[in-house]
Amino acid sequence: AYCKDAVASALSATASTGNTLVWYDENQSEITAGAPTPLTGTVGTTTYYVAQQTAGGCEGAKAAITVTIDPLPSAPSATSSVSYCKDAVASALSATASSGHALVWYGTDGTTVLSGAPTPSTSNVGTTTYYVAQENTTTDCEGPKATITVTVLTLPSAPTVANTNIDYCEGAVASALSATVTSGSGNTLVWYDSDASTVLSGGAPTPQTTTTGTKKYYVSQKNASDCVSPQVEITVTVSADPGAPSVSDIAYCKDAVASALSATASTGNTLVWYD
């Protein structure tokens, strides 16, 4: 048996000692050129015959050799192209074999047989092509290869943030955080909570100033391919109200020589005077 279009070898038989072989085609017409090489371009079955002949010209009964040319399966069903953003977690490629068939995966050279479906690398931007065929598990005939093109897309750059450290006094009125989209029209900002993974659906957050302490927010930008840039960290610090300084009231007589007013600031604080 041969798969269609396979390279065939000349048929063979073994004559008894002192005898020679006589070959016949499917019509039992003698083939004077010797053992025939079957043609594999057409699916079907052909029977050849061979007999042996003594030195005296006596020929024995013919033995039949049946040559079967099996059809090739079609290419398996597969998605022809897959896209990933750079450094994304990729999944193993997939294809669907017909009933009674098994998939045969090939590397990017189209000839190296792989042990199973490959998982593309996303560490480098560019396009890579993989190949997959299916094999008939009964005849071992393998069909044409389907191609799967894997494209790894460039990430946008991080957005621009004018101030990554923002300070508020406790109870102050805060403004929404801000960032500027860069590197490409159609990009949009993506804001994250302090865990750097929870997306804030309402857009740029406005920090709460009712509680003192430090909280971090993160922002990135997403392009039209849904590839997300590296994040920029924004630290918001809410400082406690230092309280009023220590002062004493002063009385003067009219036209007396007055001294500059005085007050005592707490450690680490400075005075701010008002009329």
Side-chain angles (χ1 to χ4, degrees), residues 80-172:
S80 60
S81 61
V82 180
S83 295
Y84 286 103
C85 298
K86 185 179 184 297
D87 300 325
V89 177
S91 302
L93 299 180
S94 63
T96 304
S98 304
S99 177
H101 295 74
L103 295 173
V104 183
W105 288 94
Y106 292 87
T108 56
D109 59 3
T111 58
T112 302
V113 177
L114 305 177
S115 60
T119 298
S121 169
T122 62
S123 57
N124 295 309
V125 173
T127 300
T128 306
T129 301
Y130 294 86
Y131 303 85
V132 60
Q134 59 178 340
E135 181 182 76
N136 186 306
T137 55
T138 300
T139 64
D140 291 335
C141 290
E142 183 179 313
K145 300 179 181 74
T147 59
I148 301 176
T149 301
V150 178
T151 302
V152 179
L153 304 170
T154 303
L155 299 182
S157 60
T160 300
V161 177
N163 186 5
T164 57
N165 291 284
I166 300 173
D167 295 304
Y168 284 106
C169 294
E170 184 180 5

Side-chain angles (χ1 to χ4, degrees), residues 213-224:
T214 299
K215 183 173 182 178
K216 296 181 183 298
Y217 296 89
Y218 301 86
V219 61
S220 61
Q221 61 178 336
K222 179 172 66 175
N223 62 19

Side-chain angles (χ1 to χ4, degrees), residues 132 175 179 231 233:
V132 60
S175 301
Q231 294 176 338
E233 181 182 273

Side-chain angles (χ1 to χ4, degrees), residues 10-11 21-25 29-37 48-50:
L11 300 180
L21 296 173
V22 182
W23 289 92
Y24 296 88
D25 63 17
S29 298
E30 183 178 348
I31 301 172
T32 58
T37 298
Y48 296 87
Y49 302 89
V50 59

